[in-house]
Amino acid sequence: MRDAMEPLTLVIPTFNEADTIGGVIREIPPPYRRDIIVADGGSTDGTQAEARAAGARVIDAGRGYGRACALGAGAAHPSSVVIAFMDGDGADRGDLIARIARPVLYDTHDFVLASRTRGAREPGAMLWHQVLAGRFAGFGMGALYGVRFSDMCAFRAIRREALGSLDMREMTYGWNIEMQMKAARARLRILEVPLPYRRRGGGRSKVAGSLRGTLNASTRIAATFCRVATSGSGRGASGR
């Protein structure tokens, strides 16, 4: 029988998520609440206070999605063997974290991520261009490494040692695709799990909420894809 508290650190990057972050943290099942880190990008709406009240550790990460993820992972509890990531807007199903964490905790996989496009989605939870971007990125990664992804969802879990070996460098919205590309190239044991996805619980999306945000994120993702694709070669293999 496994310990009541899993050796996992959950990292949640935030920026002005006061309306949702408390509920996001409280939705996490008890075995996965041992070490929750909110890596905040300078919120001015009380996000940090709400996160602390809900039981999370809060670190000041500065601006940049990837920077927040990297600093959060770096601040993980010393005994954590798995690092999980999710967004703080309430769209990811934190109550289902076991579905992505257990394969890594039980050592059947090194990297597990949720797929919004293969799971049930609430109407309006994803815009058409988000779905299309995931498919295009998945096609490109399949052509390069032989591992086909259907999404670039933030909700994911990876073995801590494996994450350290990937030499993550992207400090913006390209963090997720960099991880997927480098994991495939490194031939990690990868699993994609269809999970339900909700509309965000409050506030405005920093990516899909405006044309500027969408263009900025798309540019960074495309630039990251090109950088990683040209920095190494070889087809990966997956245990999916």
Side-chain angles (χ1 to χ4, degrees):
M1 186 173 181
R2 298 186 65 83
D3 293 338
M5 300 297 283
E6 298 285 9
L8 174 146
T9 290
L10 173 61
V11 177
I12 309 175
T14 57
F15 180 66
N16 289 338
E17 309 281 7
D19 291 342
T20 56
I21 190 61
V24 168
I25 294 168
R26 294 184 181 96
E27 187 178 48
I28 303 299
Y32 302 92
R33 293 175 56 88
R34 183 189 69 152
D35 189 33
I36 299 177
I37 297 175
V38 167
D40 189 65
S43 295
T44 58
D45 66 343
T47 294
Q48 294 195 14
E50 292 289 339
R52 291 190 181 97
R57 286 196 286 141
V58 177
I59 63 172
D60 293 314
R63 298 301 294 271
Y65 179 85
R67 178 174 287 104
C69 291
L71 290 176
H77 192 280
S79 65
S80 290
V81 298
V82 175
I83 310 294
F85 301 89
M86 68 182 298
D87 283 340
D89 60 8
D92 294 322
R93 286 287 302 272
D95 58 319
L96 301 180
I97 190 173
R99 296 192 190 179
I100 63 167
R102 282 178 178 167
V104 187
L105 288 163
Y106 295 174
D107 198 26
T108 63
H109 294 83
D110 303 305
F111 177 38
V112 180
L113 66 161
S115 172
R116 301 167 294 180
T117 59
R118 292 173 57 200
R121 301 191 302 274
E122 287 186 358
M126 290 183 74
L127 300 179
W128 66 270
H129 59 79
Q130 292 175 286
V131 176
L132 191 62
R135 290 176 179 170
F136 273 126
F139 178 82
M141 286 184 276
L144 284 170
Y145 309 118
V147 179
R148 181 68 61 87
F149 296 98
S150 67
D151 197 7
M152 294 179 285
C153 185
F155 201 20
R156 53 186 60 201
I158 186 168
R159 184 165 294 278
R160 186 177 193 170
E161 182 180 3
L163 178 61
S165 73
L166 295 184
D167 187 26
M168 296 288 293
R169 299 183 180 183
E170 183 56 43
M171 296 292 102
T172 68
Y173 287 115
W175 166 274
N176 287 341
I177 194 171
E178 180 184 34
M179 186 188 296
Q180 289 170 235
M181 293 177 73
K182 289 185 171 180
R185 192 169 67 192
R187 301 186 180 184
L188 298 187
R189 297 170 297 169
I190 299 169
L191 177 67
E192 192 177 65
V193 179
L195 284 184
Y197 190 67
R198 300 175 290 215
R199 293 188 300 273
R200 61 181 296 116
R204 186 179 185 184
S205 172
K206 287 74 179 176
V207 176
S210 68
L211 177 61
R212 179 180 179 182
T214 298
L215 291 176
N216 179 54
S218 299
T219 299
R220 291 309 312 168
I221 290 169
T224 302
F225 182 93
C226 293
R227 174 177 60 79
V228 177
T230 56
S231 67
S233 61
R235 292 173 67 85
S238 167
R240 293 165 60 189

